Amino acid sequence: MTRIDDCFARLRAQGRKAFVSYIMAGDPDVATSLELMKGLPAAGVDVIELGMPFTDPMADGPTIQLAGQRALEGGQTLQKTLDMVAEFRKGDNTTPIVMMGYYNPIYSRGVERFLADATAAGVDGLIVVDLPPEEDEELCIPANRAGMNFIRLATPTTDDRRLPKVLQNTSGFVYYVSITGITGAAAAEATDVAPEVARIKAATDLPVIVGFGIRSPETAKAIASVADGAVVGTAIVKLVEEKRPVAEILAFVKGLADGAHSA
Amino acid sequence: MADDLFNSFMNGPDERGRFGDFGGRFVSETLMPLILDLEAEYEKAKTDDTFWAEMDWLWKHYVGRPSPLYFAERLTDHLGGAKIYMKRDELNHTGAHKINNVLGQIILARRMGKTRIIAETGAGQHGVATATVCAKFGLKCIVYMGAHDVERQAPNVFRMRLLGAEVVPVTSGRGTLKDAMNDALRDWVTNVRDTFYCIGTVAGPHPYPAMVRDFQSIIGKEVRWQLAEQEGEGRLPDTVIAAIGGGSNAMGLFFPFLDDPSVRIIGVEAGGKGVDEKMEHCASLTGGRPGVLHGNRTYLLQDDDGQILEGFSISAGLDYPGIGPEHAWLHETGRAEYVAITDKEALGAFQLSCALEGIIPALEPSHALAHVMKIAPELPRDHIIVMNMCGRGDKDIFAVAKHLGFDIRT
């Protein structure tokens, strides 16, 4: 059982939906993003997705791209991101942390070394966008072996023929991408999402969380009501881009979390 | 040819799209079903005579193939050693080898019922070739091009627009070729249902590296019979040389000779200002290390933390921080050698080709020619070198003029 499994078991027992939020590590600097990260659980965030910046984020829209650039220009490295997690863990040993990003920085560090360091720092799961099930031997299987959840994205193009393959080595939860497109693009529609979530839930016992295109408390509620939870990233990162004070960003996050939790 | 199929260099990639450890399918889940569809469609086309009959007809009547294999006599005399042939792919319609591959992909796109074609381009040659073929078939064409390249390659941007393509200047990242590829992938992920991504080089997720190689292999196949025609039955080149950015013209020349052990194979990377710790070059094999980008594992220019670095080269067509995965594998197995040529050396070769052969080469093949100049003098007169003159230099005259200290802008 990972912190992710515990978290969803707890939510299920309470009959609550999950609220997951994404922030970019090191954006615009380590101190600010760590302060924001530390405030997320109190704002109602159940699972934290911590972005690992990469120079070539092919699945991300302009907002997350720029966040990654700001972080890299500020000197963010994979080590500093792991250090952030370790620092966060000093004050919070229950909120699950999922590191999200692209494969090359992990591959460059070495998969075994990365998994050991991430486990030691207190990371619970990984979302690596450019590792489909066809490449499971690269990181997914070693991660599962190391006791870390490997959370897979399912998308509108994942048909029934392909779904079992996508679910096969997935653990923790399934992340359903509500649109074909990049982060922060089109708006998610609960009516489109509901049958897709039902289709996935028919094939797995894992919680299904929906992300991409959610930016208001109302949408968070609408989406969470047809799934096991909702993810918001771009809308939060946008406020970091606008240099809003951490307290203001956390108030916005709380609104989203309340929306999802009211579902 | 190799007696034992298992020892052949021509069997790759495997069913996972790997050449040894390189290649693969490192893409997001949204794209994965499309890539599998494309692979299935290509596998069907490969053994379909009507597909190749259409290709052959277009290659002959639209592109102007076969391109000549030309004995560069004055250059040979000047260097005083090996006998030098140029494979004249710069004479193709649109002025480069790029169209060989574009035709194949567009025919596949039509077979798959796709109506919207997207492409990335650096110097603009692949973009022009894609816009050209899309115009011919009445397909919508969108070309992603780094904002910086849009500025320095204005004539090609105008060509694409004349041909009816929409050119999208890419400002994400640093606005270069790799960022254009990122934005093309973002477009594809957004418009999966009607869109075909026409990749310009032997890189990207499987099946692109193998498919683009197969389409470009027409270059090496022609060299085989053309050389026999001029030098006698069974005569193979002793050395084949080509420039490498992503590596499609090189793979096209090399592939049909991989199982001829007597043929020495040399790929020439862009050494920029020199391959040293300052990394002002695009020599992924000579100065990079393995990593994962744009759907495949290959050699990449990257920092210690796995962040991708920008390449640097006088040639916008070689300005890419990666290289096709099959080249990475040929490098590691030692079947092919890879060297780097600096901007300065390439400029020297550019001028020599103009002066001695009346051929204005693109800056890309100028790199290959510069390496020919290095090795030819030391080789015997019966040693045959074939270099790939993969593009013409019209697009480069402004850049060359600037480097030579002329101002030709009006």
Side-chain angles (χ1 to χ4, degrees):
Chain A
M1 290 285 276
T2 64
R3 290 186 192 90
I4 297 172
D5 300 327
D6 289 342
C7 171
F8 282 105
R10 210 164 45 237
L11 287 166
R12 201 177 304 122
Q14 298 165 352
R16 270 155 63 97
K17 300 300 174 77
F19 180 66
V20 180
S21 75
Y22 171 100
I23 60 168
M24 178 66 81
D27 170 30
D29 53 64
V30 171
T32 309
S33 63
L34 184 59
E35 190 191 344
L36 180 57
M37 186 182 182
K38 284 179 174 171
L40 292 174
V45 171
D46 299 299
V47 178
I48 297 172
E49 284 180 11
L50 187 61
M52 299 178 273
F54 183 47
T55 39
D56 294 79
M58 288 159 292
D60 284 304
T63 303
I64 307 283
Q65 291 172 35
L66 289 171
Q69 274 182 36
R70 284 193 297 272
L72 290 173
E73 278 157 18
Q76 190 68 11
T77 59
L78 186 49
Q79 184 59 51
K80 287 183 182 171
T81 304
L82 291 167
D83 292 346
M84 265 180 75
V85 176
E87 187 59 35
F88 176 90
R89 278 280 170 255
K90 286 181 185 166
D92 184 326
N93 202 25
T94 52
T95 307
I97 297 172
V98 175
M99 283 177 66
M100 181 167 183
Y102 297 81
Y103 185 38
N104 199 55
I106 295 171
Y107 178 71
S108 171
R109 190 181 186 88
V111 165
E112 292 305 327
R113 184 180 155 212
F114 169 78
L115 289 172
D117 295 347
T119 305
V123 175
D124 306 289
L126 300 172
I127 299 177
V128 183
V129 180
D130 51 354
L131 285 176
E134 279 73 7
E135 303 293 351
D136 268 358
E137 286 165 36
E138 295 284 334
L139 178 63
C140 172
I141 290 166
N144 283 335
R145 207 184 296 134
M148 195 168 293
N149 289 138
F150 195 88
I151 293 129
R152 185 97 58 201
L153 305 180
T155 72
T157 61
T158 310
D159 58 20
D160 286 333
R161 200 169 31 129
R162 195 170 158 72
L163 190 57
K165 191 167 181 139
V166 168
L167 295 173
Q168 192 180 16
N169 293 315
T170 303
S171 58
F173 59 92
V174 179
Y175 187 135
Y176 180 68
V177 176
S178 63
I179 53 163
T180 58
I182 50 181
T183 51
E189 295 288 343
T191 45
D192 296 338
V193 168
E196 293 296 307
V197 171
R199 184 167 70 91
I200 296 167
K201 288 189 78 72
T204 180
D205 292 333
L206 291 171
V208 179
I209 308 301
V210 178
F212 282 44
I214 303 171
R215 47 193 98 134
S216 67
E218 295 71 34
T219 321
K221 180 184 178 184
I223 294 289
S225 67
V226 298
D228 295 309
V231 189
V232 178
T234 299
I236 298 166
V237 171
K238 190 78 191 164
L239 298 183
V240 179
E241 180 183 321
E242 291 168 6
K243 299 197 171 78
R244 303 292 182 88
V246 168
E248 187 187 332
I249 300 171
L250 288 172
F252 176 69
V253 171
K254 183 161 190 312
L256 293 163
D258 290 346
H261 289 146
S262 69
Chain B
M1 301 293 281
D3 296 318
D4 183 348
L5 273 181
F6 290 99
N7 289 331
S8 172
F9 284 97
M10 297 172 73
N11 289 341
D14 65 17
E15 69 285 349
R16 296 166 65 215
R18 301 288 184 96
F19 302 91
D21 201 28
F22 299 103
R25 291 179 283 214
F26 296 88
V27 296
S28 62
E29 171 60 23
T30 310
L31 292 180
M32 204 55 224
L34 274 90
I35 282 168
L36 294 173
D37 283 352
L38 175 62
E39 185 185 349
E41 194 69 28
Y42 179 56
E43 284 304 315
K44 258 196 289 175
K46 248 168 50 177
T47 52
D48 179 350
D49 290 342
T50 60
F51 176 82
W52 290 106
E54 190 175 1
M55 287 289 283
D56 285 341
W57 192 91
L58 287 165
W59 271 337
K60 183 175 175 189
H61 299 286
Y62 192 65
V63 177
R65 302 209 73 90
S67 67
L69 181 66
Y70 164 71
F71 170 41
E73 191 171 1
R74 291 193 71 210
L75 185 69
T76 298
D77 288 346
H78 175 81
L79 296 174
K83 192 169 183 180
I84 299 156
Y85 280 88
M86 294 175 173
K87 178 61 173 165
R88 303 285 307 276
D89 255 51
E90 102 277 15
L91 294 176
N92 292 340
H93 180 39
T94 70
H97 66 288
K98 293 290 187 188
I99 197 164
N100 300 333
N101 157 53
V102 169
L103 277 175
Q105 290 197 46
I106 299 300
I107 294 174
L108 272 183
R110 278 159 54 84
R111 288 181 158 222
M112 295 174 79
K114 304 287 184 185
T115 53
R116 185 176 173 273
I117 308 296
I118 58 170
E120 84 295 337
T121 199
Q125 292 306 104
H126 175 60
V128 167
T130 307
T132 297
V133 180
C134 284
K136 188 200 152 25
F137 286 108
L139 295 165
K140 190 172 165 58
C141 178
I142 294 102
V143 179
Y144 289 89
M145 188 170 186
H148 182 55
D149 290 331
V150 166
E151 215 170 282
R152 43 174 190 176
Q153 303 287 340
N156 270 344
V157 173
F158 185 59
R159 271 183 201 114
M160 288 184 268
R161 288 182 174 149
L162 277 177
L163 292 160
E166 180 189 339
V167 180
V168 183
V170 173
T171 52
S172 68
R174 296 201 182 139
T176 60
L177 175 56
K178 83 172 170 72
D179 302 304
M181 195 151 181
N182 289 334
D183 266 19
L185 285 162
R186 290 176 187 128
D187 177 314
W188 202 21
V189 106
T190 308
N191 301 291
V192 280
R193 303 197 195 272
D194 65 345
T195 298
F196 186 99
Y197 183 15
C198 181
I199 296 185
T201 192
V202 287
H206 177 65
Y208 282 97
M211 182 172 70
V212 176
R213 171 202 71 198
D214 292 345
F215 293 146
Q216 291 293 1
S217 291
I218 185 70
I219 298 171
K221 285 179 196 158
E222 286 176 4
V223 167
R224 274 191 97 92
W225 63 258
Q226 288 174 316
L227 195 68
E229 210 172 69
Q230 295 181 56
E231 293 283 345
E233 200 51 48
R235 183 65 165 99
L236 293 173
D238 298 298
T239 302
V240 291
I241 298 185
I244 298 187
S248 70
N249 91 81
M251 252 354 281
L253 175 63
F254 297 170
F255 187 69
F257 297 106
L258 289 180
D259 282 346
D260 297 293
S262 70
V263 180
R264 186 179 174 196
I265 297 175
I266 305 175
V268 182
E269 296 192 285
K273 294 183 181 171
V275 182
D276 54 27
E277 68 287 345
K278 282 190 290 186
M279 299 297 277
E280 287 176 305
H281 61 82
C282 295
S284 320
L285 288 178
T286 331
R289 62 191 170 88
V292 173
L293 179 70
H294 293 155
N296 56 185
R297 177 172 15 240
T298 188
Y299 274 68
L300 299 172
L301 302 182
Q302 55 185 317
D303 69 12
D304 292 341
D305 210 36
Q307 304 294 341
I308 309 303
L309 299 172
E310 296 290 332
F312 179 89
S313 168
I314 187 174
S315 152
L318 302 178
D319 208 345
Y320 180 69
I323 184 169
E326 194 166 8
H327 286 296
W329 176 69
L330 291 171
H331 167 69
E332 288 216 335
T333 57
R335 176 60 189 101
E337 303 160 48
Y338 294 85
V339 298
I341 282 290
T342 63
D343 287 353
K344 210 174 150 203
E345 292 168 321
L347 274 170
F350 179 98
Q351 290 172 278
L352 195 69
S353 174
C354 293
L356 293 182
E357 296 294 345
I359 294 170
I360 302 177
L363 282 168
E364 294 80 15
S366 297
H367 285 74
L369 195 59
H371 193 67
V372 170
M373 287 162 62
K374 274 189 181 173
I375 64 170
E378 311 302 324
L379 292 166
R381 288 184 175 273
D382 62 353
H383 185 104
I384 294 176
I385 297 177
V386 175
M387 68 81 57
N388 199 4
M389 184 58 78
C390 63
R392 65 175 180 230
D394 307 45
K395 70 180 172 59
D396 293 318
I397 54 170
F398 295 99
V400 171
K402 194 176 144 212
H403 283 275
L404 298 180
F406 293 96
D407 183 5
I408 58 169
R409 285 174 197 276
T410 51

